[in-house]
Amino acid sequence: MTAGYWEREGLASAILGALAGAGRDVDALTIDDLAPADHFHGGGKAATDRLARLAGIPPGMRVLDVGGRLGGPARTLAATCGAHVTVVDVTESFVRTGAALTARLGLADRVEHRVGDALELDVPAASFDLVWTQNSGMNIADKERLYRGFARALRPGGVLATQEPMAGPVQPVDDVTAETAGPGTADAIPSYFAPRIIMGDALDPIVRAGHRNREEARIVLIQAILDRL
């Protein structure tokens, strides 16, 4: 998958327009108002909230969100946990949109958005308490290099909080497949949800394929909290 695969022009306007069309006051958005449109991963904000509870994030924790896309999880961690979050994503339009949404919600002092490659994390070593990633590692073939980068970014005793699809049950992790499955067809996904805004007409075959893979137990979605020694 190339760096430009997810690029979308006018994404911030599309998100605000979709939310306005759904009756949201875009001049007074809350984290919950924005959540359907800015959590572009399995399970949406509910999955983010669940992973945050597993991680036990205290106020002031330094978090690196790798592959953070539009910044929905980062803004959630900042607003609900008091974390300071750096979001790194390879897609420039996601980073621009994420920064605009963060500013709109008044969270720019706690959430920073950067363009960057997950395999070349340009951060100081041992500078974060927590590395956070939801449905991002699945797009990266070189898992060993990816996780080495996570370990380098974490301070000793730091934590990796991850949510990823897997080929089958792996312990000790939490299987959240049923909780994050979503509808079986794209028709049930409203216009103001992130997958509809970003994927457009390509969404239906993707949803159908994912639903079939879950039904046939070919994939599961897991959450795990892993300590750096």
Side-chain angles (χ1 to χ4, degrees):
M1 189 177 294
T2 65
Y5 178 83
W6 292 110
E7 290 291 351
R8 301 289 188 275
E9 293 300 321
L11 190 51
S13 296
I15 289 172
L16 295 176
L19 289 171
R24 305 296 198 275
D25 181 356
V26 296
D27 293 320
L29 287 174
T30 67
I31 290 291
D32 288 333
D33 290 334
L34 192 54
D38 70 351
H39 284 257
F40 188 33
H41 56 79
K45 184 174 180 291
T48 294
D49 290 338
R50 187 185 190 284
L51 188 58
R53 288 194 299 271
L54 287 176
I57 299 171
M61 179 172 267
R62 299 163 300 167
V63 178
L64 178 64
D65 184 354
V66 181
R69 301 184 179 90
L70 302 173
R75 286 185 289 274
T76 298
L77 299 184
T80 63
C81 303
H84 292 270
V85 188
T86 299
V87 183
V88 175
D89 198 280
V90 73
T91 304
E92 293 188 17
S93 60
F94 283 6
V95 173
R96 290 195 305 270
T97 302
L101 295 174
T102 291
R104 181 174 282 267
L105 267 64
L107 292 170
D109 60 331
R110 280 178 277 170
V111 180
E112 177 188 4
H113 298 262
R114 300 182 188 175
V115 176
D117 187 337
L119 294 178
E120 297 285 350
L121 291 173
D122 185 17
V123 298
S127 56
F128 291 93
D129 305 306
L130 174 72
V131 169
W132 175 282
T133 182
Q134 286 182 274
N135 293 78
S136 295
M138 65 183 188
N139 297 315
I140 298 172
D142 193 345
K143 298 293 192 292
E144 183 175 345
R145 185 177 172 192
L146 177 68
Y147 284 91
R148 279 202 308 268
F150 292 170
R152 176 186 169 277
L154 283 170
R155 63 166 175 79
V159 171
L160 168 65
T162 183
Q163 172 181 307
E164 292 290 349
M166 297 288 181
V170 179
Q171 299 296 332
V173 293
D174 286 356
D175 184 341
V176 294
T177 309
E179 296 176 43
T180 61
T185 69
D187 294 338
I189 298 177
S191 61
Y192 57 93
F193 274 44
R196 174 66 69 194
I197 295 169
I198 295 170
M199 299 306 299
D201 293 339
L203 182 60
D204 189 60
I206 293 171
V207 169
R208 283 189 279 108
H211 188 71
R212 180 176 178 183
N213 282 331
R214 287 188 295 272
E215 279 190 336
E216 297 178 359
R218 295 179 184 273
I219 61 170
V220 296
L221 192 71
I222 62 93
Q223 290 185 342
I225 306 300
L226 308 171
D227 293 327
R228 185 194 188 284
L229 300 178

